[in-house]
């Protein structure tokens, strides 16, 4: 049995996406794959049981038979943190090791997903390097390459890990097209000269950042007024329509696959958005648009969503949705698998995992 | 075209009703009042309506092939089946009065789509839905639910608003204004303005075409049709939704985007349509065209019995681009002969407050004879001794014989009413105030210019389209929607001169490029995401040596990463610094209704604030290009002010034509801008310094 701990330099760097993609690929290759997220931080209530959202989702995607309590044995509840701060002994190490031994039974490989950044969980003695050493596994570090400072983060994470042998290697994600050449020609050789294996770089990808319209409907508690047949379409960006109509249409045309947020009374903006073939319209303030506009939207097969919130709060929610949207959608699942297969040196990676 | 629709022998009213107050009854009544052909009511629940035998369905008619026109007033959801029956019964023309389609929401929109499909399948042409109906006074057809029939006349009107139809009919009744045809367009699901422009053009009874529109269905076709028709008949149009708030109201009313007002102005100008800004203006103009000849020029004579009115009219003439004619000496001598000595014998002619009808008549006749006069504005105020009705009678006489337009403004209320009535009875308009008479005169004059225009097609441009195609293919592959300096090749493909440039990726490449081009140079960031380069420190001018270049490069990269951390940067572009010349902008924005709308304006920092720009719908010819350049306020700056040398305006004309061709060749270009285009002194051409374009999603 082999295992790997997927850690990251910072939050929202793509750990879950890599776990999903890698899990799928390994399953396809015939391995029996297990998954753990030792510390759950995205708490949700599943039929009366507190669980972690990533874990629940992963259970579905990888069709895991293991119990959710073993997949995520420790949950970051308020009680847990206050006990930790008051130094109450909780025996978390045993909990972790017990769950791990249950999960790893009959598995070829277990993917262990870290929580937050690499140091997350240190106050419980369960930072990613600590967990890795307790379970005797190596670390795969995921780093979002937003600028050259990502190199600094990788190097300091390398120091945090202490034992150089524990770091299997690095995957850099979300690399913008203008940085790709620089990263592959300069950054990768630089890191490898310092003994840090780079398994690959994953370019920025609009599909991965996107959110399906039905996800917006769900998150914003929206009412669908038209285009109900297109709720699976993906939205990559959102724009706010608060300008004069002729500027609006130019602005909407420049951005692919976007949702436009505007007021229900701005029929001109709504039509400009329909004309520019945006993916969907989000109308705020619970102001129902003119029926004639809905007629045009229906003709153009564009979903019009009506939400109660004002424009400002709707923007805030959209901001949180796009770019951080979790991978649930089939198109996105396929996309991450495809990105990993075409950008990651899977042979080296599986070898490093011990497969 | 649509001959049987407007001149039918047999009409069916599907949804005819016995119940008073119902639209289905009003239509039957209207038809019964005037129509001489056969009227067949259709209603499954009645045997006869208003004495006419009634049939349950159009398919139950004994010999059903003879229906030329079906007027449909049944509820919306029945209409697909009703249309199918019409199709099976061989009916080719329908007017759908019923509402409940696109204007009523998503379900209605679906229904409208079905109705259009059914109509298409059976080759049925349809007016509406959601309209008032149609009227043709030549065939005595009132297939509408309007309250009254129109008077006979020579004005053909179409309107996208049913209310404006009914209001106009009522207004026209009061003024004895007559119409040839009257069409309420409704939702324009099938037949729309372009079709009726052609119908009205072909109609012998129609002398002037008038329209109230909230949008056009096919802008390019509209321009072609209107350009052809306006050579023969004047077209007057109101396009509402001129302002931001008005266009929003259009949007929520019709569910269509109004399109930019600049585009309408350009399209109307290019196609010879006379634009009226209000329904009042539209009716004022249409009455002038309906009753008066077209002036040969813009030299106007004013005849008045009150100095004040004459001055107002003179001011208004000046503001409208009309000139006051200088009378021939013989005219002044003739006027002196009969007019009182205190009168004014020059233009405006003041016949004085006590002028009799005979004096008015004499003055009018004298001025009409003057070959320096192209049209006359006749003003009257009711003074104690003024005999309004006598003056009106003399005007009627003169108008009948005149080959020059005479527009009257009898200003007042109760006391001028009798005169106005006489004018109305002879279909001569009276304008309640002088300015409205002058506005209408200007409309008449502008048509004399429109008639003279000879449309020359745009010159043929040689271009290497392959280069552009390749560029767009690459952009599509990379999912790029906006392109900047990296797309300079498209200009070269159309032989638009560009400044010498080299694109580089690294600092050392950049310095080498500068040495090759020769100092001074300009450095610009290459990024499809940055439209306003100077706002983020993405342009550095006048770099004189390698040291300047290195500092500029480093600070530019830092600034851009700071202000636009997510921008994709592919390097920088080095350009030869050009110091002479005037900056202008050539742009294009694809208008929702008319397509490629070209823009021209003077460049520089203040351009967005001054908005001194002109527009034309592509494709443009040389005349359009010249018009675009000369119509901006700052045009004199290009010809050179205060001893400056003139700029090479011909090269700008050539560039406009090339851009016009390019945006027509490549409909995937949604927006395009050369900013700035540096215009060099006369004979030295122009060079494009920067470019930006937005592509359609493939």
């Amino acid at each position: 049995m082999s295992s790997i701990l997927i850690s990251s330099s910072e939050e929202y760097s793509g750990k879950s996406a890599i776990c999903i993609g890698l899990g799928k690929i390994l399953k396809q290759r015939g391995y029996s794959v297990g998954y753990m997220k030792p510390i759950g931080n995205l708490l949700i209530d599943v039929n009366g049981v507190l669980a972690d959202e990533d874990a629940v989702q992963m259970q579905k995607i990888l069709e895991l038979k293991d119990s959710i309590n073993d997949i995520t044995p420790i949950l970051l509840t308020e009680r847990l943190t206050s006990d930790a701060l008051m130094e109450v002994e909780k025996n978390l190490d045993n909990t972790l090791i017990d769950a791990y031994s249950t999960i790893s039974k009959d598995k070829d490989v277990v993917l262990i997903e870290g929580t937050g950044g690499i140091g997350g969980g240190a106050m419980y003695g369960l930072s990613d390097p600590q967990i890795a050493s307790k379970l005797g596994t190596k670390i795969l570090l995921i780093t979002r390459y937003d600028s050259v400072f990502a190199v600094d983060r990788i190097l300091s994470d390398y120091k945090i890990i202490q034992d150089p042998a524990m770091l299997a290697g690095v995957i850099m994600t979300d690399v913008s097209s203008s940085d790709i050449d620089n990263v592959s020609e300069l950054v990768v050789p630089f890191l490898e000269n310092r003994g840090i294996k780079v398994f690959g770089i994953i370019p920025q990808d609009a599909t991965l950042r996107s959110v399906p319209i039905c996800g917006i409907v769900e998150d914003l508690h929206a009412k669908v007024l038209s285009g109900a047949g297109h709720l699976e379409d993906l939205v990559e960006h959102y724009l706010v329509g608060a300008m004069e109509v002729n500027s609006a249409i130019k602005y909407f045309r420049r951005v692919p696959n976007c949702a436009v947020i505007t007021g229900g009374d701005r029929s001109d903006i709504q039509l400009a958005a329909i004309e520019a073939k945006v993916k969907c319209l989000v109308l705020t303030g619970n102001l129902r648009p003119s029926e004639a506009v809905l007629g045009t939207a229906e003709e153009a097969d564009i979903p019009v969503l009506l939400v109660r919130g004002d424009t400002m709060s709707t923007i805030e929610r959209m901001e949180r949705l796009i770019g951080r949207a979790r991978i649930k959608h089939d198109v996105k699942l396929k996309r991450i698998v495809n990105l990993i297969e075409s950008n990651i040196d899977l042979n080296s990676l599986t070898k490093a995992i011990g497969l | 075209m649509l001959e049987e629709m407007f001149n039918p022998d047999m009409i069916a009213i599907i949804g005819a009703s016995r119940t008073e107050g119902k639209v289905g009854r009003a239509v039957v009544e209207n038809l019964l009042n005037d129509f001489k052909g056969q009227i067949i009511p259709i209603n499954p629940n009645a045997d006869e309506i208003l004495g006419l035998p009634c049939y349950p369905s159009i398919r139950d008619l004994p010999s059903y092939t003879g229906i030329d026109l079906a007027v449909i007033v049944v509820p919306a959801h029945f209409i697909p089946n009703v249309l199918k029956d019409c199709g099976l019964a061989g009916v080719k023309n329908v007017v759908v009065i019923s509402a409940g389609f696109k204007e009523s929401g998503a379900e209605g929109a679906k229904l409208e789509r079905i109705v259009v499909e059914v109509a298409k399948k059976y080759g049925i042409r349809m007016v509406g839905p959601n309209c008032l109906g149609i009227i043709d006074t030549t065939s005595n057809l009132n297939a509408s639910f309007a309250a009254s029939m129109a008077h006979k006349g020579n004005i053909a009107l179409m309107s996208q608003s049913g209310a404006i139809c009914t209001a106009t009919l009522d207004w026209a009744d009061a003024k004895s204004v007559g119409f040839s045809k009257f069409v309420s367009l409704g939702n324009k699901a099938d037949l729309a303005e372009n079709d009726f422009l052609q119908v009205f053009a072909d109609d012998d009874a129609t002398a002037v075409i008038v329209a109230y529109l909230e949008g056009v269905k096919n802008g390019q076709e509209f321009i072609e049709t209107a350009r052809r028709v306006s050579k023969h008949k004047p077209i007057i149009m109101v396009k509402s939704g001129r302002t931001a708030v008005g266009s929003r109201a259009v949007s929520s009313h019709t569910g269509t985007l109004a399109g930019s007002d600049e585009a309408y102005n350009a399209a109307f100008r290019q196609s010879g349509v006379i634009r009226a800004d209000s329904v009042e203006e539209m009716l004022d103009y249409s009455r002038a065209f309906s009753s008066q000849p077209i002036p040969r020029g813009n030299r106007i004579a004013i005849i008045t019995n009150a100095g004040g009115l004459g001055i107002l009219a003179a001011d208004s003439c000046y503001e409208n681009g009309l000139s006051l004619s200088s009378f021939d000496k013989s005219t002044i001598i003739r006027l002196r002969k009969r007019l009182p000595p205190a009168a004014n014998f020059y233009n405006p002619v003041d016949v004085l407050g006590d002028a009799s009808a005979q004096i008015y008549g004499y003055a009018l006749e004298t001025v009409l004879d003057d070959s320096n006069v192209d049209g006359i504005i006749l003003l009257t105020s009711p003074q104690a001794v003024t005999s309004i009705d006598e003056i009106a009678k003399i005007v009627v006489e003169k108008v009948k014989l005149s080959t020059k337009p005479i527009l009257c403004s009898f200003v007042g209320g109760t006391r001028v009413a009798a005169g106005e009535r006489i004018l109305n009875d002879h279909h001569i308009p009276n304008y309640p105030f002088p300015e409205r008479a002058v506005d209408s005169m200007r409309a008449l004059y502008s048509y004399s210019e429109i008639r003279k225009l000879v449309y020359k097609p745009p010159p043929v441009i040689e271009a290497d389209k392959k280069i552009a195609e390749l560029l767009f293919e690459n952009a599509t592959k990379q999912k790029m929607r906006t392109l900047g300096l990296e797309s300079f090749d498209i200009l070269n493909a159309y032989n638009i001169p560009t400044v010498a440039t080299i694109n580089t990726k690294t600092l050392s490449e950049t310095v080498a490029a500068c040495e090759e081009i020769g100092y001074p140079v300009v450095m610009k960031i290459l990024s499809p995401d940055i439209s306003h380069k100077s706002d983020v420190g993405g342009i550095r001018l006048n770099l004189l040596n390698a040291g300047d270049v290195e500092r500029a490069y480093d600070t530019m990269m830092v600034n851009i990463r700071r202000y636009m951390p997510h921008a994709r940067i592919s390097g920088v572009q080095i350009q030869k610094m050009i110091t002479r010349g005037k900056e202008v902008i050539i742009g294009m924005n694809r208008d929702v209704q008319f397509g490629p709308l070209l823009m021209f304006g003077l460049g520089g920092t203040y351009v967005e604030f001054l908005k001194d720009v002109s527009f034309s719908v592509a494709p443009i010819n040389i005349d359009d290009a010249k018009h675009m350049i000369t119509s901006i306020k700052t045009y004199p700056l290009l010809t050179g002010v205060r001893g400056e040398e003139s700029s090479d305006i011909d090269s700008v004309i050539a560039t406009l034509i090339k851009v016009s061709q390019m945006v027509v060749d490549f409909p995937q270009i949604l927006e395009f801008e050369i900013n700035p285009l540096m215009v060099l002194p006369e004979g030295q051409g122009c060079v494009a310094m920067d470019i930006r374009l937005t592509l359609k999603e493939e």
Side-chain angles (χ1 to χ4, degrees):
Chain A
M1 204 280 308
S2 334
S3 64
I4 186 85
L5 190 149
I6 292 122
S7 179
S8 67
S9 298
E10 63 284 300
E11 282 186 281
Y12 300 108
S13 50
K15 284 192 299 285
S16 300
I18 297 284
C19 283
I20 290 171
L22 208 52
K24 280 245 165 205
I25 291 168
L26 293 176
K27 271 192 78 165
Q28 276 165 17
R29 293 190 175 187
Y31 296 108
S32 83
V33 179
Y35 167 84
M36 268 189 97
K37 182 174 174 185
I39 305 177
N41 57 335
L42 305 165
L43 301 186
I44 50 167
D45 186 337
V46 184
N47 306 324
V49 178
L50 206 54
D52 178 88
E53 195 186 337
D54 279 340
V56 172
Q57 194 196 341
M58 200 62 100
Q59 202 182 21
K60 264 187 226 147
I61 292 173
L62 297 181
E63 299 158 55
L64 303 172
K65 304 276 183 300
D66 305 297
S67 94
I68 199 76
N69 292 330
D70 287 329
I71 292 176
T72 305
I74 301 160
L75 291 170
L76 270 191
T77 57
E78 189 164 312
R79 185 179 300 251
L80 183 83
T81 44
S82 56
D83 282 355
L85 291 170
M86 290 188 293
E87 304 194 39
V88 179
E89 179 50 55
K90 303 281 280 190
N91 266 329
L92 295 177
D93 286 10
N94 289 343
T95 314
L96 171 72
I97 290 162
D98 289 351
Y100 180 67
S101 60
T102 312
I103 295 269
S104 55
K105 228 175 270 164
D106 309 324
K107 300 282 178 2
D108 299 322
V109 58
V110 178
L111 305 175
I112 305 159
E113 183 176 348
T115 300
I118 189 165
M123 64 188 272
Y124 320 103
L126 293 174
S127 69
D128 288 345
Q130 286 168 310
I131 292 176
S133 87
K134 280 172 189 147
L135 302 181
T137 184
K138 285 186 177 180
I139 289 178
L140 169 65
L141 185 69
I142 314 297
T143 299
R144 181 183 282 236
Y145 191 91
D146 49 0
S147 69
V148 76
F149 294 124
V151 181
D152 293 336
R153 288 201 301 275
I154 292 170
L155 290 177
S156 68
D157 292 346
Y158 191 40
K159 285 272 182 298
I160 291 172
I161 293 169
Q162 289 176 344
D163 174 9
M166 191 188 273
L167 180 66
V170 177
I171 292 175
M172 281 176 275
T173 60
D174 204 23
V175 185
S176 81
S177 59
S178 45
D179 286 328
I180 285 262
D181 289 351
N182 210 25
V183 171
S184 48
E185 285 162 23
L186 295 174
V187 175
V188 172
F190 172 86
L191 291 172
E192 297 208 322
N193 283 341
R194 273 155 191 74
I196 299 172
K197 169 73 189 163
V198 179
F199 292 114
I201 53 180
I202 294 185
Q204 214 162 53
D205 187 81
T207 311
L208 282 191
R209 292 176 50 83
S210 68
V211 56
I213 295 169
C214 55
I216 300 175
V217 172
E218 194 181 314
D219 194 80
L220 298 179
H221 306 293
K223 196 167 155 190
V224 180
L225 302 182
S226 74
H230 285 261
L231 297 182
E232 295 293 307
D233 288 6
L234 295 173
V235 168
E236 293 167 12
H237 306 272
Y238 71 88
L239 296 171
V240 182
M243 67 294 280
E244 180 264 329
V245 59
N246 291 318
S247 332
I249 193 159
K250 286 187 194 172
Y251 175 63
F252 298 156
R253 276 169 174 171
R254 286 180 191 152
V255 182
N257 303 324
C258 69
V260 167
I261 303 171
T262 193
D265 53 345
R266 292 298 306 266
S267 51
D268 48 350
I269 299 286
Q270 294 155 14
L271 287 166
I274 294 167
E275 173 62 31
K277 300 192 173 61
V278 303
K279 283 288 168 194
C280 81
L281 267 161
V282 180
L283 305 185
T284 58
N286 210 19
L287 292 169
R288 201 181 155 86
S290 124
E291 294 302 325
V293 171
L294 282 182
T296 305
E298 184 64 42
E299 254 179 6
D301 284 329
I302 292 177
V304 174
L305 316 181
L306 185 64
V307 301
R308 286 190 165 274
D310 59 20
T311 303
M312 203 54 224
S313 61
T314 307
I315 292 170
E316 280 169 15
R317 296 200 80 106
M318 289 290 275
E319 182 75 34
R320 258 179 294 157
L321 267 175
I322 294 178
R324 294 181 172 185
R326 317 208 75 78
I327 295 178
K328 294 179 187 166
H329 207 259
D330 232 26
V331 177
K332 290 172 78 167
L333 278 175
K334 284 199 185 108
R335 184 74 192 144
I336 182 67
V337 167
N338 183 272
L339 280 170
I340 291 177
E341 280 176 336
S342 47
N343 294 290
I344 304 295
D345 176 0
L346 280 169
N347 281 342
S348 304
L349 180 57
T350 44
K351 208 175 281 168
I353 295 172
L355 286 168
Chain B
M1 191 186 174
L2 301 177
E3 175 57 26
E4 286 168 351
M5 180 176 278
F6 287 97
N7 188 15
D9 291 325
M10 200 188 281
I11 300 179
I13 302 101
I14 304 175
S17 171
R18 282 174 296 202
T19 317
E20 199 126 4
K22 280 204 156 182
V23 171
R25 174 169 168 131
V27 177
V28 179
E29 279 176 340
N30 277 340
L31 283 168
L32 274 173
N33 284 341
D34 300 278
F35 185 59
K36 306 288 184 284
Q38 197 178 345
I39 305 165
I40 301 170
I42 308 280
N43 182 336
N45 306 316
D47 296 330
E48 58 94 32
I49 289 173
L50 294 165
L52 299 164
C54 190
Y55 293 86
S57 151
I58 197 154
R59 299 186 65 189
D60 297 324
L61 292 182
S63 145
Y64 46 68
T65 44
I67 300 285
D68 302 305
L69 170 66
V71 183
I72 302 174
V73 287
V74 297
H77 59 276
F78 291 125
I79 291 183
N81 280 332
V82 164
L83 264 190
K84 194 175 155 202
D85 287 347
C86 286
L88 294 171
V91 178
K92 293 294 176 204
N93 301 293
V94 302
V95 173
V96 180
I97 289 177
S98 322
F101 292 90
K102 204 182 130 191
E103 82 287 354
S104 69
E107 289 308 308
K110 283 183 202 156
L111 195 60
E112 189 165 309
R113 227 184 307 187
I114 296 168
V115 165
V116 170
E117 277 163 22
V118 175
K120 202 171 265 171
K121 184 176 168 196
Y122 291 98
I124 297 172
R125 300 312 308 261
M126 171 174 69
V127 181
N130 185 29
C131 73
L132 185 79
I134 59 170
I135 293 176
D136 186 314
T137 57
T138 314
S139 61
N140 298 310
L141 170 78
N142 183 358
S144 78
F145 65 100
S148 61
M149 176 64 167
H151 296 267
K152 281 190 197 291
N154 58 8
I155 302 172
L157 180 141
M158 59 176 137
S159 167
Q160 208 172 335
S161 154
I164 284 173
C165 288
T166 52
T168 300
L169 274 175
D170 195 41
W171 167 91
D173 188 44
K175 308 263 179 204
S176 306
V177 175
F179 293 89
S180 49
K181 286 183 164 60
F182 219 92
V183 175
S184 163
L185 295 167
N187 290 6
K188 306 195 288 196
D190 175 32
L191 292 167
E193 51 281 334
N194 296 341
D195 305 294
F196 294 110
L197 271 179
Q198 197 54 58
V199 169
F200 295 168
D202 297 340
D203 178 26
D204 293 338
T206 298
V208 44
I209 299 169
V210 180
Y212 166 86
L213 297 178
E214 289 167 5
V216 300
K217 213 170 142 186
N218 181 336
Q220 289 279 341
E221 189 192 301
F222 173 86
I223 292 175
E224 281 165 34
T225 311
R227 183 182 280 147
R228 203 171 56 237
V229 172
S230 66
K231 293 292 290 174
H232 310 289
K233 290 180 186 178
I235 306 172
I236 301 159
M237 284 188 177
V238 173
K239 157 62 184 63
S240 61
R242 285 178 290 134
T243 60
V245 282
S247 84
R248 194 178 308 159
V250 167
S251 305
S252 64
H253 182 203
T254 62
T256 53
L257 208 52
S260 79
D261 208 50
E262 291 92 0
Y264 278 94
N265 277 332
F268 285 1
R269 176 177 51 72
Q270 289 173 267
S271 59
V273 170
I274 297 166
R275 183 168 188 172
D277 282 339
S278 62
V279 172
E280 181 185 70
E281 275 185 18
M282 174 182 92
L283 297 172
D284 277 357
Y285 299 173
S286 59
R287 291 190 77 190
F289 280 105
S290 159
S291 64
Q292 302 295 319
I294 306 299
R296 300 170 66 122
N298 69 342
R299 299 165 306 170
I300 304 303
I302 299 166
I303 300 172
T304 176
N305 69 348
L309 294 181
I311 297 165
L312 286 172
D315 279 343
S316 182
C317 279
Y318 178 80
E319 283 162 1
N320 277 288
L322 300 175
S323 71
L324 289 201
S325 47
S326 303
F327 294 151
D328 190 80
K329 244 188 211 149
S330 63
T331 304
I332 296 162
I333 292 168
R334 279 175 66 191
L335 287 173
R336 265 187 212 285
K337 235 187 241 171
R338 292 271 306 271
L339 264 51
N344 187 20
F345 310 105
Y346 307 105
N347 202 0
V349 177
D350 188 347
V351 293
L352 300 184
D354 60 354
S356 64
Q358 284 68 36
I359 288 290
Y360 256 107
Y362 179 78
L364 187 52
E365 195 175 285
T366 308
V367 173
L368 273 173
D369 285 344
D370 192 319
S371 59
N372 294 333
V373 172
D374 299 315
I376 293 171
I377 305 276
L378 187 130
L379 311 171
T380 302
S381 65
Q383 318 224 3
V385 294
T386 309
S387 165
I388 293 285
D389 45 352
E390 291 302 316
I391 294 173
K393 282 178 193 158
I394 286 204
V395 169
V396 169
E397 251 173 58
K398 301 290 177 204
V399 166
K400 275 187 185 156
L401 300 171
S402 173
T403 55
K404 297 175 183 177
I406 303 168
L407 296 183
C408 298
S409 177
F410 289 11
V411 185
T414 320
R415 297 213 42 224
V416 301
E420 188 176 349
R421 207 169 310 123
I422 293 169
L423 294 177
N424 282 343
D425 287 347
H426 292 85
H427 309 295
I428 296 167
N430 178 51
Y431 297 95
F433 293 99
E435 295 84 354
R436 280 171 62 182
V438 175
D439 277 352
S440 295
M441 186 63 83
R442 197 249 311 136
L444 291 176
Y445 166 66
S446 65
Y447 186 63
S448 75
E449 295 290 295
I450 289 166
R451 250 190 341 193
K452 274 185 228 157
L453 289 176
V454 180
Y455 178 72
K456 296 183 215 84
V460 179
I461 301 294
E462 295 288 328
D464 190 349
K465 286 195 210 166
K466 283 261 152 37
I467 297 180
E469 277 160 15
L470 205 71
L471 196 83
F472 295 145
E473 255 169 50
N474 272 331
T476 311
K477 244 181 247 160
Q478 294 174 47
K479 292 190 175 169
M480 282 164 79
R481 279 255 185 124
T482 49
L483 297 174
L485 287 165
E486 64 274 25
S487 55
F488 247 18
D489 279 352
I490 189 174
L491 298 183
N492 299 327
Y494 278 81
N495 296 313
I496 296 170
T498 53
V499 65
T501 59
I502 299 178
N503 295 353
T504 62
K505 280 192 163 177
T506 62
L507 177 61
S508 50
E509 272 178 41
T510 305
V511 174
C514 294
E515 305 283 340
E516 191 184 326
I517 281 181
Y519 296 104
V521 296
V522 178
M523 186 190 295
K524 293 179 178 175
I525 193 75
L526 275 177
S527 166
D529 300 320
I530 301 175
S531 51
H532 296 284
K533 296 185 199 69
S534 55
D535 292 358
V536 291
I539 297 185
R540 297 297 297 271
L541 303 171
N542 208 21
L543 306 175
L544 300 173
N545 50 50
D548 279 2
V549 170
E550 188 165 350
R551 278 195 311 282
Y553 186 93
D554 280 334
T555 51
M556 185 178 285
M557 292 303 162
V558 168
N559 278 333
I560 285 169
R561 294 230 165 82
R562 184 182 302 157
Y563 295 121
M564 295 201 66
H566 301 298
R568 289 163 291 176
I569 295 164
S570 50
V572 295
Q573 182 173 79
I574 297 301
Q575 297 189 343
K576 177 93 191 139
M577 174 95 189
I578 291 183
T579 45
R580 293 172 319 145
K582 294 256 161 47
E583 289 185 9
V584 299
I585 300 177
I586 291 176
M588 186 281 299
N589 180 27
R590 215 161 277 273
D591 184 75
V592 292
Q593 309 214 334
F594 291 99
L597 182 66
L598 296 173
M599 186 268 277
F600 171 79
L602 210 66
T605 325
Y606 300 122
V607 61
E608 286 193 14
F609 169 71
L610 290 172
K611 295 200 167 64
D612 183 19
V613 289
S614 59
F615 297 91
S616 278
V617 179
I620 59 166
N621 61 17
I622 291 173
D623 292 335
D624 293 325
K626 278 185 188 158
H627 181 274
M628 286 183 80
I629 297 168
T630 54
S631 63
I632 61 169
K633 290 189 207 82
T634 41
Y635 169 65
L637 296 183
L638 287 175
T639 57
V641 288
R642 294 193 165 230
E644 273 179 338
E645 47 190 346
S646 170
S647 303
D648 196 332
I649 292 168
D650 285 346
S651 71
V652 184
I653 294 175
T655 308
L656 271 168
I657 301 271
K658 288 170 186 170
V659 171
S660 162
Q661 181 68 48
M662 178 202 301
V663 297
V664 170
D665 287 345
F666 291 98
Q668 63 264 58
I669 307 177
L670 294 179
E671 286 164 43
F672 174 87
E673 191 176 80
I674 301 177
N675 182 15
L677 177 76
M678 197 64 95
V679 191
L680 302 175
E682 202 159 356
Q684 297 178 35
C686 58
V687 276
M689 311 287 287
D690 208 337
I691 174 182
R692 181 180 163 74
L693 55 93
T694 306
L695 294 173
K696 198 189 285 178
E697 192 180 17
E698 290 299 321

